[in-house]
Amino acid sequence: MKRLAFLLLCLCFPLAWAGGTAAPKIDIGKGGQCVEETQWMRKNHMNVLKHQRDEVVHKGTREEKHSLKNCIECHASTKDNSVTARADSFCVACHANQAVKIDCFECHSNKRKSAWMQGTGK
Ligand code: HEC
Ligand code: HEC
Ligand code: HEC
């Protein structure tokens, strides 16, 4: 009995440790391949978005690849078409963990286009 408890402790400890330090649970969405390398995007997505916004708003040049709509087409959950609806939704999962607050979706749709075209989203 003692031996079993010891064995369980050895087996479970590394699992608990991995769970505690691993990245938050994220619903990646549709899948495919990101517009840039994943590791790089993890660190730089905010700059990509800010740059894209400046290009569109100040210079009037629009490139679909880095548009916010394009991100949402892929990253909205396949369950509810949203990037913000649940705790593991793509655009909120990491931010909650890091205490980052973004206001983007007060103006921009948080839903995949096909969803708001059907009138199910905003
Ligand atoms: C064609 C689909 C697609 C598009 C468009 C896309 N992504 Fe991605 N993105 C992915 C996939 C799939 C992954 C996960 C890759 C992996 O886990 O290896 C990913 C990963 C990421 C990550 C890192 C997630 C993590 O687990 O660390 C961030 C951040 C990100 N994307 C942001 C964006 C932003 C911002 C945009 C728009 C500028 C965007 N993506 C556009 C498919 C896409
Ligand atoms: C007060 C409303 C408002 C807020 C808040 C806001 N935006 Fe925008 N954003 C706009 C408007 C209006 C445009 C220009 C619309 C267009 O031409 O597509 C725009 C354009 C953009 C574009 C370029 C167009 C596109 O679809 O790629 C990006 C990228 C963008 N915003 C990202 C963001 C991000 C990221 C945030 C949050 C940090 C944010 N915005 C917050 C109103 C807002
Ligand atoms: C893999 C985790 C992760 C995912 C997924 C993610 N973010 Fe972030 N985001 C972060 C982190 C971490 C920061 C803070 C970085 C810092 O403080 O330098 C951040 C910061 C930002 C900022 C800048 C906030 C500020 O105050 O300057 C914006 C804008 C942003 N993210 C937008 C998005 C959008 C839109 C999505 C969904 C398409 C998204 N993020 C998905 C981790 C993530």
Side-chain angles (χ1 to χ4, degrees):
M1 199 54 211
K2 243 187 191 156
R3 209 177 248 187
L4 181 66
F6 180 70
L7 184 71
L8 282 176
L9 190 71
C10 292
L11 284 174
C12 297
F13 182 70
L15 281 179
W17 181 79
T21 54
K25 192 174 170 298
I26 312 172
D27 186 339
I28 290 288
K30 205 163 80 179
Q33 201 173 8
C34 201
V35 290
E36 304 295 340
E37 206 267 312
T38 301
Q39 287 292 338
W40 187 87
M41 277 304 268
R42 197 169 292 165
K43 286 208 200 81
N44 298 297
H45 61 281
M46 58 300 282
N47 301 326
V48 170
L49 289 169
K50 279 173 195 163
H51 177 76
Q52 174 75 8
R53 176 171 54 189
D54 291 350
E55 288 290 314
V56 170
V57 176
H58 301 303
K59 296 187 198 152
T61 46
R62 193 178 291 266
E63 192 215 330
E64 284 306 315
K65 184 179 162 194
H66 287 161
S67 79
L68 187 57
K69 278 198 195 84
N70 199 30
C71 319
I72 290 163
E73 279 307 300
C74 271
H75 285 298
S77 170
T78 53
K79 294 171 207 145
D80 54 21
N81 291 313
S82 171
V83 289
T84 61
R86 297 185 321 273
D88 69 340
S89 296
F90 191 74
C91 296
V92 295
C94 306
H95 295 163
N97 218 40
Q98 308 269 338
V100 177
K101 257 202 160 359
I102 59 169
D103 64 353
C104 320
F105 304 110
E106 283 165 22
C107 300
H108 294 276
S109 174
N110 62 348
K111 298 261 180 170
R112 181 171 282 130
K113 194 172 177 187
S114 55
W116 48 265
M117 300 257 288
Q118 285 160 9
T120 53
K122 196 167 83 149

